[in-house]
């Protein structure tokens, strides 16, 4: 069942852009195993490191925020982030659910 | 992604049509898709796959491609009979879900007394309004007045037409006498048993917000069974 908070997140992104903030949209594009959130779940991040929404139960958000701020500083417009339990980093980030998840981050312009 | 696409999503969500968001993960382009619309050059080569996922309402990266699709389905239509206190909390909780609520109550006093924001409220007898509604397997009916002359005709309409969820407020005893009335009117046990009554998942609460929560929980449960 598609949850409406997604619309709140999109509206917030639009309002951030109105205030001339640089914004990144993060979208869950694939999940495997026991990932908590469904495909399409969204989160937005701005240049100040503020964020709204979530892409997991708190497992990978910190990394997504860091990568998003990095993206805002370089010339690329998008990046795919893969988090997996078999990935050494994933344990650091703490994907304790035992699943894997791909998050696509992109600049909103 | 262009901000215009996000603005379009908000706009399209308020109309009742379904659509999908497409992303080409190899070049970063996004666009919205509807069956009757042409695909741009960024997506044209994958037309068949996109239509296939769209028809199946499947979300994700399309197998063997770098195309992502997310379907935006029409909201579930929820018709509530009775502009009572519980309905206020139903409206409040429903904001977090893909639900579109209409409230019907023939009693002007209730319509005037309760405050509902951004909700369609109709001051009329339910049977008159229900006749005009095209219900389908995404339509739900919740009756809350436990007044037979208001609830019963609405329930009877729902049992004769396509509704995926029908729930009726009332104690076990109230529901039993309701079932007996429906049986007398010629409805089969199968039809009568399809009514969720007493309505809601058992949370043990008796306050208006607790009852509303138990109703919403049951509605979400039944909606998730639909695979839509």
């Amino acid at each position: 069942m598609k949850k409406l908070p997604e619309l709140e997140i999109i509206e917030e992104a639009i309002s951030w852009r109105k205030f001339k903030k640089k914004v990144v949209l993060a979208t869950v594009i694939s999940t495997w195993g026991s990932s908590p959130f469904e495909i399409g779940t969204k989160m937005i991040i701005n240049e100040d490191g503020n964020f709204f929404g979530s892409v997991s139960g708190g497992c990978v958000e910190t990394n997504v925020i860091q990568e998003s701020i990095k993206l805002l500083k370089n010339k690329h417009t998008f990046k795919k982030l893969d988090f997996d339990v078999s990935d050494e980093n994933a344990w650091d980030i703490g994907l304790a659910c035992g699943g894997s998840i791909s998050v696509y981050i992109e600049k909103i312009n | 992604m262009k901000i215009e696409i996000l603005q379009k999503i908000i706009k399209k969500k308020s109309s009742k049509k379904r659509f999908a968001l497409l992303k080409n993960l190899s070049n970063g382009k996004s666009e919205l898709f509807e069956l009757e619309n042409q695909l741009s050059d960024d997506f044209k080569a994958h037309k068949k796959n996109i239509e296939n996922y769209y028809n199946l309402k499947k979300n994700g990266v399309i197998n063997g491609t770098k195309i992502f699709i997310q379907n935006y389905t029409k909201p579930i239509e929820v018709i509530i009979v009775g502009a009572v206190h519980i309905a206020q909390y139903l409206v409040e909780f429903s904001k977090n879900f893909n639900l579109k609520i209409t409230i019907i109550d023939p009693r002007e006093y209730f319509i005037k007394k309760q405050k509902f924001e951004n909700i369609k409220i109709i001051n009329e007898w339910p049977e008159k309004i229900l006749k005009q509604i095209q219900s389908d397997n995404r339509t739900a009916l919740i009756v809350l007045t436990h007044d037979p002359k208001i609830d019963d005709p609405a329930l009877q309409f729902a049992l004769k037409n396509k509704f995926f969820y029908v729930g009726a407020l009332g104690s076990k005893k109230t529901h039993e006498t309701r079932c007996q009335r429906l049986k007398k009117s010629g409805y089969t046990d199968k039809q009568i048993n399809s009514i969720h009554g007493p309505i809601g998942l058992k949370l043990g609460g008796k306050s208006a917000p607790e009852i509303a929560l138990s109703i919403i929980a049951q509605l979400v449960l039944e909606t998730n069974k639909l695979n839509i």
Side-chain angles (χ1 to χ4, degrees):
Chain A
M1 183 178 202
K2 193 56 62 244
K3 282 140 198 98
L4 274 190
E6 164 159 351
L7 294 190
E8 272 180 52
I9 294 165
I10 292 174
E11 275 166 358
E12 187 70 11
I14 293 168
S15 120
W16 283 359
R17 286 298 295 147
K18 270 187 196 148
F19 287 100
K20 305 283 177 221
K21 291 280 177 206
K22 287 181 181 168
V23 182
V24 169
L25 173 70
T27 308
V28 175
I29 57 165
S30 62
T31 62
W32 180 85
S34 53
S35 307
F37 285 3
E38 60 187 347
I39 288 167
T41 306
K42 291 177 177 56
M43 170 176 167
I44 50 171
I45 302 96
N46 72 21
E47 57 194 312
D48 305 326
N50 290 328
F51 65 96
F52 186 58
S54 60
V55 289
S56 70
C59 309
V60 303
E61 275 77 0
T62 319
N63 193 273
V64 171
I65 293 165
Q66 285 166 355
E67 288 285 346
S68 298
I69 293 170
K70 247 192 248 171
L71 185 72
L72 285 174
K73 286 177 181 159
N74 69 34
K75 62 178 194 306
H76 297 294
T77 55
F78 63 91
K79 190 179 180 183
K80 184 168 163 262
L81 310 172
D82 298 311
F83 302 99
D84 195 291
V85 281
S86 61
D87 183 338
E88 271 179 36
N89 290 327
W91 286 110
D92 298 337
I93 299 158
L95 205 60
C97 51
S100 71
I101 175 174
S102 291
V103 178
Y104 182 81
I105 58 173
E106 59 191 314
K107 286 177 186 164
I108 301 294
N109 47 37
Chain B
M1 188 201 261
K2 288 204 163 67
I3 189 94
E4 288 80 15
I5 292 175
L6 295 181
Q7 288 163 337
K8 269 191 206 162
I9 291 176
I10 299 282
K11 219 171 146 191
K12 275 196 188 289
K13 244 346 246 181
S14 56
S15 73
K16 279 174 59 189
K17 272 175 128 184
R18 64 172 291 222
F19 62 97
L21 168 65
L22 304 175
K23 288 179 190 293
N24 186 328
L25 304 179
S26 53
N27 67 8
K29 293 280 171 58
S30 296
E31 69 184 45
L32 297 186
F33 173 73
E34 281 167 87
L35 269 187
E36 60 269 28
N37 288 7
Q38 291 275 322
L39 287 162
S40 74
D41 290 345
D42 297 308
F43 299 93
K44 240 182 211 164
H46 304 284
K47 187 172 185 271
K48 266 213 162 132
N49 276 326
I50 290 169
E51 284 178 358
N52 187 21
Y53 269 60
Y54 183 84
N55 288 331
L56 295 169
K57 291 173 185 162
K58 247 173 108 174
N59 298 320
V61 181
I62 296 172
N63 265 343
T65 73
K66 290 219 160 181
I67 304 293
F68 169 81
I69 178 165
Q70 181 185 353
N71 287 284
Y72 288 81
T73 52
K74 288 196 300 182
I76 297 286
E77 289 269 359
V78 184
I79 297 155
I80 298 175
V81 172
V84 296
H85 197 195
I86 293 168
Q88 283 195 345
Y89 289 100
L90 285 175
V91 169
E92 183 64 33
F93 296 147
S94 73
K95 286 175 188 161
N96 299 310
F97 302 101
N98 196 18
L99 304 172
K100 181 176 170 279
I101 290 186
T102 303
I103 298 175
I104 308 171
D105 200 317
R107 304 164 299 182
E108 208 181 343
Y109 171 74
F110 275 86
I111 295 273
K112 278 188 176 159
K113 206 181 118 207
Q114 309 279 2
K115 280 180 191 148
F116 298 98
E117 273 172 37
N118 304 321
I119 294 288
K120 196 172 167 193
I121 304 176
I122 306 168
N123 183 202
E124 191 47 89
W125 289 91
E127 61 266 41
K128 199 171 165 188
I129 300 303
L130 286 168
K131 268 186 215 152
Q132 303 162 12
I133 290 172
Q134 192 82 43
S135 73
D136 57 23
N137 61 354
R138 301 173 57 84
T139 317
L141 174 76
I142 295 171
V143 300
L144 299 176
T145 74
H146 49 65
D147 179 343
K149 69 177 181 296
I150 303 173
D151 283 355
D152 282 15
L155 287 171
Q156 291 182 7
F157 181 88
L159 295 185
K160 283 184 284 190
N161 290 279
K162 232 181 186 175
F163 282 77
F164 81 96
Y165 176 85
V166 179
L169 185 80
S171 66
K172 265 187 194 161
K173 211 175 142 201
T174 305
H175 189 63
E176 244 166 56
T177 54
R178 177 187 286 138
C179 292
Q180 280 163 12
R181 286 195 306 273
L182 288 168
K183 206 162 184 180
K184 264 188 199 157
S185 306
Y187 291 88
T188 66
D189 284 342
K190 200 185 162 203
Q191 280 175 313
I192 294 167
N193 289 337
S194 74
I195 301 172
H196 294 265
I199 196 170
L201 297 185
K202 280 193 180 116
L203 300 182
K206 285 202 165 75
S207 68
E210 284 173 309
I211 293 167
L213 182 64
S214 83
I215 295 171
I216 286 286
Q218 191 170 54
L219 184 61
V220 169
L221 174 70
E222 293 304 317
T223 306
N224 282 333
K225 287 181 189 167
L226 294 175
N227 186 31
I228 42 176

